């Protein structure tokens, strides 16, 4: 089996961050989403991975390299325009050959892994096996209608009146039968080759198409709120680790990771929280569910349920919550602040909040 990871999307819902970095590289608990995706694929024993990239290809390549550090072999496949998920299968045809493959959207977080559903696919080997998840409002998703044996009867993209609450969540297992389906379909009204149309073509042609329901935690990290909530969930399973320096005037409570070269000075860190390598936290209070990246400085501040990306600086800001501070961004006040703030600050941006 091979894998096809889709990393070409523009991430409009994650602006301002997606202006300066691919959405698939947004860190969750200080690890890019794409690395979680690769780990899930490698857990299946799959090491031949094609990565679909768009106009942010250089950053994706720099972050992942050739895959050797993960134990994978990565092949980058350029998609010049966002022409649909089925289009990515078409342009990856030479890489995929006639092998079975798993297709995985690169901004999906499924921390419990997909080994169980992969096992279902291997046991029955249908033409396609889609991963579905129960959602309260499926109108924004592709929706699967299933028969009593888990067979897919019908797929409908963003239905006005859904006949099922089972949404497609961006993980698919295919045999080589999908290539004929992709060649057979036409672009949709939005000008894209839709993977739901290709799978529905298989259903209509009488092929065996099945669904596996994912029961674990799932999040599409497509907007800031979902990124923060996913960060909270991942941090809940954090194992404490101390590789940096904590002075005698500081207190660590709960599971906290202090990475190599980080320094905690006269501060309180309440876990679950991560302090990245080379970061300095001084005269500050870091509350739960906070991830601070590498090379950051936090001075005279209080923040919780937040993410600070590499190189960020927060000075003299009290009560910063539910915030995301971009790479090398700076947040401060001219005087000591006592009010609470919720900020979303893009990379390399300077923000001063009113005292």
């Amino acid at each position: 089996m091979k894998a096809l990871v889709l990393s070409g999307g523009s991430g409009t819902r994650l602006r301002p961050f997606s202006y300066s970095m691919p959405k698939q590289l947004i860190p969750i608990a200080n690890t890019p989403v794409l690395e979680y995706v690769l780990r899930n694929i490698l857990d299946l024993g799959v090491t031949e991975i094609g990565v679909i990239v768009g106009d942010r290809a250089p950053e994706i390549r720099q972050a992942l390299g050739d895959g050797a550090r993960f134990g994978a072999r990565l092949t980058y496949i350029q998609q010049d325009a966002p022409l649909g998920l089925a289009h990515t299968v078409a342009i990856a045809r030479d890489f995929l050959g006639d092998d079975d493959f798993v297709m995985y959207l690169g901004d999906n977080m499924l921390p419990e892994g997909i080994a169980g559903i992969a096992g279902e696919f291997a046991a029955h080997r249908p033409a396609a096996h889609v991963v579905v998840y129960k959602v309260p409002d499926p109108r924004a998703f592709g929706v699967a209608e299933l028969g009593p044996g888990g067979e897919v009867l019908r797929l409908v993209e963003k239905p006005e009146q859904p006949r099922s609450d089972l949404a497609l969540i961006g993980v698919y297992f295919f045999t080589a039968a999908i290539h004929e389906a992709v060649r057979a379909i036409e672009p949709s009204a939005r000008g894209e080759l839709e993977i739901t149309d290709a799978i529905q073509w298989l259903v209509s042609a009488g092929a065996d198409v099945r669904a596996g329901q994912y029961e674990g935690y799932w999040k599409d990290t497509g907007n800031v709120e979902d990124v923060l909530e996913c960060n909270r969930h991942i941090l809940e399973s954090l194992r404490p680790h101390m590789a940096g320096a904590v002075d005698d005037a500081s207190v660590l409570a709960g599971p906290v990771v202090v990475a190599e070269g980080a320094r905690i000075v006269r501060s309180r860190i309440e876990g679950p929280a991560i302090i990245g390598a080379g970061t300095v936290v001084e005269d500050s209070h870091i509350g739960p569910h906070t991830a601070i990246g590498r090379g950051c400085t936090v001075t005279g501040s209080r923040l919780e349920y937040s993410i600070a990306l590499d190189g960020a600086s927060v000075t003299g800001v009290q009560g910063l919550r539910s915030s995301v501070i971009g790479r090398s961004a700076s947040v401060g006040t001219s005087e000591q602040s006592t009010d609470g703030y919720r900020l979303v600050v893009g990379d390399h941006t300077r923000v001063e909040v009113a005292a």
Side-chain angles (χ1 to χ4, degrees):
M1 179 182 283
K2 292 178 180 176
L4 191 63
V5 175
L6 278 52
S7 303
S10 59
T12 55
R13 292 180 295 148
L14 260 177
R15 291 172 180 167
F17 304 103
S18 55
Y19 284 128
S20 54
M21 70 186 301
K23 63 176 180 176
Q24 298 85 3
L25 295 183
I26 289 287
I28 304 294
N30 282 8
T31 297
V33 173
L34 262 182
E35 290 197 20
Y36 292 100
V37 170
L38 292 182
R39 290 175 190 174
N40 278 358
I41 291 170
L42 291 168
D43 285 345
L44 306 180
V46 176
T47 58
E48 290 282 353
I49 303 172
V51 182
I52 300 292
V53 290
D55 57 2
R56 312 302 288 272
E59 292 159 277
I60 300 287
R61 288 175 181 266
Q62 183 177 11
L64 302 183
D66 63 2
R69 69 184 177 95
F70 305 105
R73 292 182 293 275
L74 303 185
T75 299
Y76 293 95
I77 302 165
Q78 185 74 37
Q79 186 183 35
D80 293 329
L83 297 176
L85 302 190
H87 180 257
T88 68
V89 175
I91 64 175
R93 183 69 175 91
D94 289 344
F95 165 76
L96 295 168
D98 290 327
D99 292 316
D100 296 349
F101 66 99
V102 56
M103 185 168 79
Y104 203 128
L105 269 63
D107 56 359
N108 261 1
M109 285 289 292
L110 295 87
E112 281 81 10
I114 56 174
I117 296 174
E120 294 175 13
F121 172 73
H124 300 284
R125 204 164 170 270
H129 194 106
V130 300
V131 180
V132 296
Y133 188 87
K134 281 192 174 184
V135 297
D137 184 2
R139 290 176 296 176
F141 299 88
V143 175
E145 299 174 18
L146 306 186
E151 68 275 18
V152 175
L153 303 178
R154 187 174 179 232
L155 293 176
V156 183
E157 187 69 26
K158 299 180 176 63
E160 288 288 334
Q161 297 181 323
R163 296 169 60 180
S164 163
D165 61 357
L166 296 175
L168 304 178
I169 60 172
V171 179
Y172 312 83
F173 292 86
F174 295 118
T175 68
I178 192 64
H179 299 299
E180 182 182 3
V182 168
R183 288 193 300 268
I185 63 173
E186 298 291 335
S188 65
R190 59 179 183 170
E192 298 187 5
L193 288 176
E194 310 284 358
I195 199 65
T196 49
D197 290 346
I199 300 169
Q200 181 60 47
W201 187 93
L202 289 172
V203 172
S204 300
D208 185 15
V209 177
R210 295 175 177 264
Q213 186 172 332
Y214 185 71
E215 302 285 356
Y217 177 89
W218 164 70
K219 187 66 69 176
D220 166 10
T221 55
N223 60 48
V224 170
E225 290 74 18
D226 287 339
V227 166
L228 285 168
E229 202 284 321
C230 190
N231 188 68
R232 178 205 62 77
H233 179 85
I234 298 299
L235 287 176
E236 285 291 335
S237 59
L238 187 70
R239 295 182 179 180
H241 178 71
M242 177 61 61
V246 179
D247 74 357
D248 292 340
S250 297
V251 175
L252 272 57
V256 174
V257 169
V258 179
E260 185 176 359
R263 293 191 296 118
I264 312 299
V265 181
R266 297 183 302 275
S267 296
R268 179 178 178 87
I269 315 293
E270 295 181 26
I274 292 182
I275 311 300
T279 283
V280 177
V281 178
E282 189 171 0
D283 298 317
S284 295
H285 184 164
I286 306 300
H289 304 118
T290 298
I292 299 178
R294 298 171 298 179
C296 297
T297 58
V298 180
T299 306
S301 298
R302 180 187 178 106
L303 63 156
E304 64 178 22
Y305 194 71
S306 294
I307 298 173
L309 277 64
D310 293 351
S313 171
V314 181
T315 304
V317 182
Q318 297 294 315
L320 197 61
R321 190 179 192 281
S322 302
S323 298
V324 181
I325 311 301
R327 294 175 298 183
S328 300
S330 176
V331 178
T333 57
S334 55
E335 301 176 26
Q336 191 72 10
S337 167
T338 57
D339 294 328
Y341 296 93
R342 180 187 185 280
L343 298 176
V344 177
V345 182
D347 291 354
H348 309 287
T349 301
R350 166 74 182 174
V351 173
E352 287 199 2
V353 294

